[in-house]
Amino acid sequence: MKPQGPLKGVKVVEFVGLGPAPFCAMMLSDMGADVIRIDRPGAMGGGAADVLGRGRRSIALNLKVDADKAVCLDLIKQADILLEGYRPGVMERLGFGPDVALKANPKLVYGRMTGWGQYGPLAHAAGHDINYVSLSGALGAIGTPQTPVIPLNLVGDFGGGAMYLGFGVLAALTHARTSGEGQVVDAAIVDGAASLMASQYQLKALGLWSNDRGTNLLDGGAHFYAVYECADGKHISLGPLEPEFYQLFCEKAGIDPQEIPADWSGRGWDEAKAKFAALFKEKSRDEWCTLLEGTDACFAPVLSIDEAAEHPHMVERASFTEIDGVRHPSPAPRFSHTPGAIQGVAAVPGRDTDEVLADWGVQRPATAD
């Protein structure tokens, strides 16, 4: 039995791509949408280890064959949302560009995921997350004074890309359901990454942000918002920005806040960081956790991927789910009346072709390859 969520009844056709677009489809599936993946015949994959592919059924179609193209168009006619993550022009060459799809289904929300966007001087150039976050200003603001540090592919592909694609198609779906009018959602990773930098652009406008990395309040410049190494070589994070929280931290750590104040102006930060660095190396990470974790000192241990799933807070909230021996992040966010759920492991490509066609009421011509 399929779990249901707030998107129960929403039909999505996903043209299988890489990275952020499948993650968006995963999110929609976790929230209860019926997401159908269009795979190539003979494609490999599936199983619990395919985390980004979880929760969707797969249909194998050869989009160079007219009969299979007709099946694909019939699926699009019934869909609420279409997702694709190809370079500009690819879907048009396949015969399923927005003009064709929206003519067949005027209420369709056509979600497009690219790095640079559907137009602009770089639209047709190859790129990856690191390039998109570079152009947005995000990468230049993250790191040490000596060099930018890559923030995994969280800020670009998944934060600036997939999450904005998901936000966009659901916003457009609301419009389509009230107006009967579908539309194209141009979700460019470079746009989303720039949008995520709104807070920094505000601070910059207020004269509170410097282009010099490692000198600002939230980029590791401040001694009271930083990561420190402990006696055992492990790390902790500290962030008591508010005066009362900083006061509490100082009390527990045995520091005189008058001697090492939390001055937001930047005065004395380097000297204070050196003192804090020496302080945290006096105890192991576990010892600091015993002293500070769970208090208003704004403290947490820096955990590895394996450690995160074992932390008591994450365990109690069931933040991770194990499927066939593979650890998956659990669906998020949480809903009080229509909880989401993982709707099964990733399907072997093409496994569900007959079931999908039957459920969606689509006939496959006998001449299809």
Side-chain angles (χ1 to χ4, degrees), residues 141-144 209-210 212-222 225 269:
I142 300 171
T144 68
W209 191 271
S210 167
D212 297 326
R213 286 183 304 276
T215 66
N216 297 288
L217 181 66
L218 301 177
D219 68 356
Y225 198 88
W269 282 3

Side-chain angles (χ1 to χ4, degrees), residues 44-56:
M44 305 297 289
D50 185 2
V51 177
L52 296 181
R54 75 189 189 194
R56 283 101 84 190

Side-chain angles (χ1 to χ4, degrees), residues 213-236:
R213 286 183 304 276
T215 66
N216 297 288
L217 181 66
L218 301 177
D219 68 356
H223 56 287
F224 50 94
Y225 198 88
V227 172
Y228 292 98
E229 184 178 359
C230 303
D232 54 2
K234 298 179 180 180
H235 294 80
I236 60 89

Side-chain angles (χ1 to χ4, degrees), residues 14-83:
E14 173 195 2
F15 285 78
V16 175
L18 298 175
F23 179 71
C24 178
M26 184 201 85
M27 293 278 292
L28 297 179
S29 171
D30 284 351
M31 295 300 111
D34 183 10
V35 184
I36 304 304
R37 292 167 59 97
I38 306 295
D39 277 301
R40 300 186 307 275
M44 305 297 289
D50 185 2
V51 177
L52 296 181
R54 75 189 189 194
R56 283 101 84 190
R57 293 184 291 174
S58 170
I59 178 172
L61 294 176
N62 183 348
L63 298 182
K64 295 181 180 180
V65 174
D66 287 342
D68 277 16
K69 292 180 73 171
V71 169
C72 186
L73 189 61
D74 283 343
L75 293 172
I76 290 172
K77 288 177 181 178
Q78 297 186 49
D80 299 295
I81 297 169
L82 181 153
L83 299 179

Side-chain angles (χ1 to χ4, degrees), residues 317-353:
R317 288 187 58 79
S319 297
F320 297 92
T321 302
E322 188 168 302
I323 302 176
D324 295 342
V326 176
R327 183 174 292 137
H328 286 237
S330 299
R334 317 266 177 122
F335 295 83
S336 60
H337 294 296
T338 54
I342 298 173
Q343 299 191 59
V345 301
V348 174
R351 181 196 65 188
D352 308 305
T353 299

